[in-house]
Amino acid sequence: MVNIRSATRADIKAVHGLITELAVYEKEPDAVIISAEDLERHGFEENRFDCFVAEEQGTVVGMALFYERYSTWKGPTIHLEDLYIQPQHRGKGTGRLLFDSVVREAKRRHAGRMEWTVLEWNEPAINFYKTYNASLDPEWHLGTLNSAQIQSFQ
Amino acid sequence: MVNIRSATRADIKAVHGLITELAVYEKEPDAVIISAEDLERHGFEENRFDCFVAEEQGTVVGMALFYERYSTWKGPTIHLEDLYIQPQHRGKGTGRLLFDSVVREAKRRHAGRMEWTVLEWNEPAINFYKTYNASLDPEWHLGTLNSAQIQSFQ
């Protein structure tokens, strides 16, 4: 039996673990530089994100982390930053329960759009999003300056 | 002589006009559903974004609109939502002045990353971003549910 609920401070270590697992899956094992303490401060003191967790027999096995963004076309939107379910807990509809919860939250907040990104090789995720008739657009490329580039900028 | 400064409420109509011009350039002429009044409320009452404008002889000719996002890998980041300079005012380094201002703001806020998206066919923009040694990644595809899909979700 899977239970979906809002994350609490007590879930932070588990959520941080899932973030790290997702980074490994996305072939960026060293990308996570924030600590569980950072995550707790960002989420529960600075209110930078919201998070749903999926719990199975008292253990957190998945999560959906999201926050509000702004579109100059559509106004406030909901951005789904991470959606992750541990491999051994997949195939039971848990991802769908989590994603549904975020869409309902977007509906409750009257979001002008809900958006997320997906890696082009992540076929299971792409097929999952297609079941929602989501638009999946390869035309927008992601530009970034990293922290070192920013801090050395004059 | 170009002057870069933070946008004020008095600039909202001009900024809304530039947003619409940019949507036309991006081949989505009907995409802008928010009004200038919405934009003013979102920016100056709800503080959903910050904006720099470029002024030439008392007229706003360009803008850079940005806000904070959250990365589960890097912590708080700066997202550049729109960067636009009117065609007749290009070629004088105004885009560079605006982009530089946002990078400096990212530096001031110790952002873990600065990111934006660029359309794959927008070669002048891509070449511009390359001069900053920015990473430009086609691997992440953008998923979206639109407002109608969200509101009809059960």
Side-chain angles (χ1 to χ4, degrees):
Chain A
M1 181 66 192
V2 179
N3 179 35
I4 307 293
R5 58 174 175 78
S6 289
T8 69
R9 282 181 189 259
D11 299 311
I12 280 293
K13 278 212 169 59
V15 171
H16 190 264
L18 296 177
I19 288 168
T20 307
E21 284 182 37
L22 178 54
V24 171
Y25 178 73
E26 290 177 335
K27 302 175 183 172
E28 297 270 5
D30 302 319
V32 183
I33 61 161
I34 65 165
S35 65
E37 291 70 28
D38 293 332
L39 190 70
E40 181 171 356
R41 190 178 68 253
H42 296 148
F44 292 91
E45 288 162 37
E46 302 175 8
N47 298 311
R48 293 184 180 273
F49 61 80
D50 287 299
C51 185
F52 289 120
V53 291
E55 202 174 38
E56 248 186 87
Q57 300 179 320
T59 302
V60 171
V61 302
M63 59 97 179
L65 190 147
F66 62 100
Y67 49 80
E68 291 191 10
R69 277 178 64 180
Y70 188 71
S71 161
T72 48
W73 295 0
K74 309 301 178 194
T77 72
I78 289 288
H79 184 85
L80 177 61
E81 179 74 12
D82 282 350
L83 175 65
Y84 183 72
I85 300 97
Q86 289 184 311
Q88 64 273 33
H89 296 281
R90 290 181 197 157
K92 291 180 279 186
T94 305
R96 191 165 296 281
L97 291 174
L98 282 167
F99 191 83
D100 288 359
S101 299
V102 180
V103 182
R104 287 201 192 93
E105 185 63 21
K107 182 178 180 176
R108 198 182 67 76
R109 298 190 195 185
H110 302 284
R113 188 169 66 201
M114 173 172 152
E115 81 264 315
W116 62 92
T117 57
V118 57
L119 283 159
E120 62 181 358
W121 50 258
N122 191 350
E123 219 178 305
I126 288 169
N127 289 333
F128 171 79
Y129 294 130
K130 280 184 180 165
T131 68
Y132 288 90
N133 290 318
S135 157
L136 293 166
D137 187 345
E139 206 186 20
W140 289 97
H141 291 190
L142 178 66
T144 52
L145 292 180
N146 64 34
S147 174
Q149 288 175 302
I150 292 169
Q151 286 307 319
S152 64
F153 194 78
Q154 298 301 329
Chain B
M1 182 63 192
V2 180
N3 179 33
I4 307 293
R5 58 174 176 77
S6 289
T8 69
R9 280 182 189 260
D11 299 311
I12 280 293
K13 278 213 168 59
V15 171
H16 190 264
L18 296 177
I19 288 169
T20 307
E21 285 182 37
L22 177 55
V24 171
Y25 178 74
E26 290 177 335
K27 301 176 185 173
E28 297 270 6
D30 302 319
V32 183
I33 61 160
I34 66 164
S35 65
E37 291 69 29
D38 294 332
L39 191 70
E40 181 170 356
R41 190 178 67 255
H42 295 149
F44 291 91
E45 289 162 36
E46 301 175 8
N47 298 311
R48 293 184 181 273
F49 61 80
D50 288 298
C51 185
F52 289 121
V53 291
E55 202 174 38
E56 248 185 86
Q57 300 178 322
T59 302
V60 171
V61 302
M63 58 98 178
L65 190 146
F66 61 100
Y67 50 80
E68 291 191 11
R69 276 179 65 182
Y70 189 70
S71 161
T72 47
W73 295 359
K74 309 301 179 195
T77 72
I78 290 288
H79 185 84
L80 177 61
E81 179 74 13
D82 282 349
L83 174 65
Y84 184 72
I85 299 97
Q86 289 183 312
Q88 64 273 32
H89 295 282
R90 290 180 196 159
K92 291 180 280 186
T94 304
R96 191 165 296 281
L97 290 174
L98 282 166
F99 190 83
D100 288 359
S101 299
V102 180
V103 182
R104 287 201 192 92
E105 186 61 20
K107 182 178 180 177
R108 197 181 68 77
R109 298 190 195 185
H110 302 285
R113 188 169 68 200
M114 173 172 153
E115 81 265 316
W116 62 92
T117 56
V118 58
L119 282 160
E120 62 182 0
W121 50 259
N122 191 349
E123 219 178 306
I126 288 168
N127 289 333
F128 171 79
Y129 294 131
K130 281 184 179 164
T131 67
Y132 288 90
N133 291 317
S135 157
L136 292 165
D137 187 346
E139 205 186 20
W140 289 97
H141 291 191
L142 178 66
T144 52
L145 291 180
N146 64 33
S147 174
Q149 290 175 301
I150 292 170
Q151 286 306 318
S152 64
F153 194 78
Q154 297 302 328

